[in-house]
Amino acid sequence: MASRVFEAFGTVKQTSMSGNAETRKPGEKLVPPEGMTKSAYKKLLRRQRHEETKAEYREHRKQLRKDRDAERREEISKLKANGEPYEHLVKPRNKNKIVKTVQVGEDGENVIEVPPMDASKKIGVVIDCGYDDYMNEKEVVSLSSQITRAYSSNRQAVKAYYAKEVEKQKGSGADGERKEMDIAPAAKLVISGLDKRLKQRFESVLPDYQKWDPECAQFKETSLQSVLDRWNGDNSVGDQDYSNVVYLSADTEDVITELKAGEIYVVGGIVDKGRHKNLCKTTAESLGHNIRIRRLPIDEYIKLSGRKVLTTAHVVELLLKWCEYKDWKKAFEEVLPPRKMGQNEEQNEE
Ligand code: SAH
């Protein structure tokens, strides 16, 4: 079956060789390799073709974009030279960019940089990806998308923060008053234990991850323990104290009531459709050193039936929303889609 063939992404090409796809003559029937259905074989070939042409296709799209831009620039300079309106041709600024500067002065000739977010007011969030061996290929793919989503949520929070700061600067001038915040709206997000198939997945399909903004997420290939021990850049292995660390798990009765700046919240980076109950809890217990294990206050704030296991991405988003609102109910309502509220919100839906 296809799943056997996809045991590692790298085997795709090799396996397809054992069918007759490469040697087939026009009109000849497609014969899949032994043990593989025809539809699985076709799917495999499609995927292989996609892999082979992906880079070329990307390049082609890039070139098209470049050509279009060059045409537009030429058109703009012509219109400008004739004194005709050209604004409709100017490309809108990249809306997704995080703007951290304000232009001030007569003609906006001075640029002021807004102060960075106070790191001591941030919570830490670690997605612990030490569970590669417990997932199948599809679940690894799902986890990679969830990490991307978590990054994008944190990036949105960072962006919104700076947008507000820029507005404040504009309103009050460079030395406007800054209200002290007790908790920052974005987190220091670290993805620990990026290796094996998850790493392969990022390298092959989401290579841009290496260019992700470190203010919004950082990848570490080392284990959770090593990340925690070096959280502040120092290497304090030997006398670990995890009393500022909370490992989140649905498999405990102890509830987390609030988040605190400076604390680190660990979320299991695993999609397991309920197969591995207590897995993350056991990891946390083996870390010891005063680590706390807590579940989210789901029952206390919303009605979900069945096991209350949420997805990794939803939990990260919930933590971020809590920092924004300091209100669990509001956070749950915003993060969990309405169709899931009041029904079984199990992580196997993703
Ligand atoms: N079998 C896994 C479940 C993974 S769900 C386990 O042993 O935890 C992905 C992660 O989201 C979990 O590891 C946990 O960190 C977090 N999570 C999901 N539901 C949660 C809940 N109700 N309370 C606290 N954390 C939760």
Side-chain angles (χ1 to χ4, degrees):
M1 291 302 287
S3 58
R4 247 196 300 144
V5 176
F6 288 141
E7 247 149 37
F9 289 109
T11 60
V12 172
K13 190 161 185 169
Q14 208 182 347
T15 316
S16 70
M17 292 305 211
S18 47
N20 72 338
E22 305 270 323
T23 53
R24 189 160 61 124
K25 302 207 170 58
E28 193 182 319
K29 257 180 141 183
L30 183 74
V31 182
E34 225 183 287
M36 190 187 260
T37 63
K38 204 166 174 179
S39 69
Y41 188 43
K42 278 189 181 163
K43 199 169 160 191
L44 173 70
L45 292 172
R46 255 201 316 275
R47 185 155 157 185
Q48 184 187 346
R49 244 190 332 268
H50 175 73
E51 283 301 319
E52 281 169 357
T53 53
K54 203 165 60 183
E56 207 180 311
Y57 181 65
R58 234 184 240 159
E59 207 40 55
H60 170 68
R61 299 273 306 232
K62 210 164 134 190
Q63 193 53 47
L64 280 181
R65 241 188 343 262
K66 272 190 184 163
D67 293 349
R68 268 201 309 268
D69 282 350
E71 270 172 35
R72 191 176 27 233
R73 272 197 304 274
E74 202 178 316
E75 187 63 24
I76 288 176
S77 48
K78 264 192 216 153
L79 290 172
K80 261 185 178 173
N82 296 338
E84 290 172 48
Y86 61 89
E87 285 77 7
H88 60 289
L89 289 179
V90 176
K91 239 180 157 181
R93 226 188 36 205
N94 182 0
K95 281 207 192 105
N96 206 18
K97 203 171 161 218
I98 299 179
V99 181
K100 298 181 180 178
T101 52
V102 194
Q103 278 175 306
V104 291
E106 295 266 298
D107 295 314
E109 77 274 24
N110 291 328
V111 175
I112 293 184
E113 226 168 283
V114 300
M117 205 183 300
D118 185 347
S120 71
K121 297 291 164 63
K122 284 187 186 179
I123 59 162
V125 175
V126 182
I127 301 180
D128 171 17
C129 297
Y131 303 102
D132 205 277
D133 299 338
Y134 294 88
M135 290 182 280
N136 64 34
E137 209 64 63
K138 230 173 132 184
E139 291 166 343
V140 172
V141 170
S142 164
L143 179 60
S144 68
S145 329
Q146 291 196 42
I147 292 173
T148 308
R149 251 183 34 216
Y151 165 71
S152 139
S153 310
N154 201 32
R155 195 173 182 283
Q156 280 308 318
V158 170
K159 189 176 163 223
Y161 169 83
Y162 283 107
K164 247 193 221 161
E165 289 302 305
V166 163
E167 282 315 307
K168 268 196 230 165
Q169 283 278 2
K170 279 187 192 161
S172 60
D175 47 17
E177 258 185 47
R178 284 165 58 77
K179 204 175 136 259
E180 272 300 308
M181 58 177 173
D182 46 9
I183 196 161
K188 170 175 171 179
L189 175 64
V190 178
I191 292 97
S192 71
L194 179 81
D195 64 359
K196 301 186 183 170
R197 292 171 302 162
L198 184 64
K199 183 169 180 220
Q200 248 178 293
R201 167 80 187 165
F202 272 102
E203 302 259 303
S204 60
V205 182
L206 310 155
D208 273 358
Y209 85 98
Q210 287 176 346
K211 291 187 229 146
W212 283 7
D213 183 345
E215 187 169 357
C216 309
Q218 295 168 32
F219 283 92
K220 302 279 180 204
E221 296 190 3
T222 49
S223 69
L224 169 66
Q225 184 172 1
S226 151
V227 164
L228 293 178
D229 291 342
R230 291 162 183 76
W231 190 255
N232 295 315
D234 49 318
N235 186 349
S236 50
V237 183
D239 61 343
Q240 307 100 316
D241 174 35
Y242 300 146
S243 52
N244 65 334
V245 181
V246 178
Y247 207 126
L248 291 163
S249 161
D251 303 311
T252 175
E253 275 316 304
D254 299 326
V255 184
I256 190 162
T257 51
E258 58 172 2
L259 309 181
K260 291 200 186 93
E263 291 203 328
I264 304 167
Y265 302 94
V266 184
V267 184
I270 173 167
V271 179
D272 68 349
K273 300 182 173 59
R275 284 193 308 277
H276 303 293
K277 198 168 184 282
N278 291 327
L279 182 62
C280 295
K281 185 182 172 197
T282 310
T283 307
E285 283 166 349
S286 66
L287 277 170
H289 296 94
N290 301 320
I291 195 167
R292 279 164 289 156
I293 304 172
R294 296 286 182 269
R295 69 168 174 84
L296 292 164
I298 298 183
D299 301 326
E300 289 76 358
Y301 291 97
I302 53 164
K303 282 191 180 62
L304 290 186
S305 55
R307 279 185 71 228
K308 316 292 187 326
V309 187
L310 309 181
T311 61
T312 306
H314 277 158
V315 175
V316 174
E317 284 170 57
L318 277 167
L319 298 177
L320 293 170
K321 283 294 164 195
W322 190 88
C323 292
E324 188 178 343
Y325 303 132
K326 302 196 194 57
D327 180 333
W328 287 113
K329 189 162 189 288
K330 224 171 151 188
F332 282 122
E333 282 169 355
E334 193 156 318
V335 171
L336 303 180
R339 70 184 163 82
K340 287 186 175 178
M341 300 282 280
Q343 66 173 41
N344 206 352
E345 163 54 16
E346 296 231 27
Q347 67 131 357
N348 55 5
E349 290 181 24
E350 299 284 312

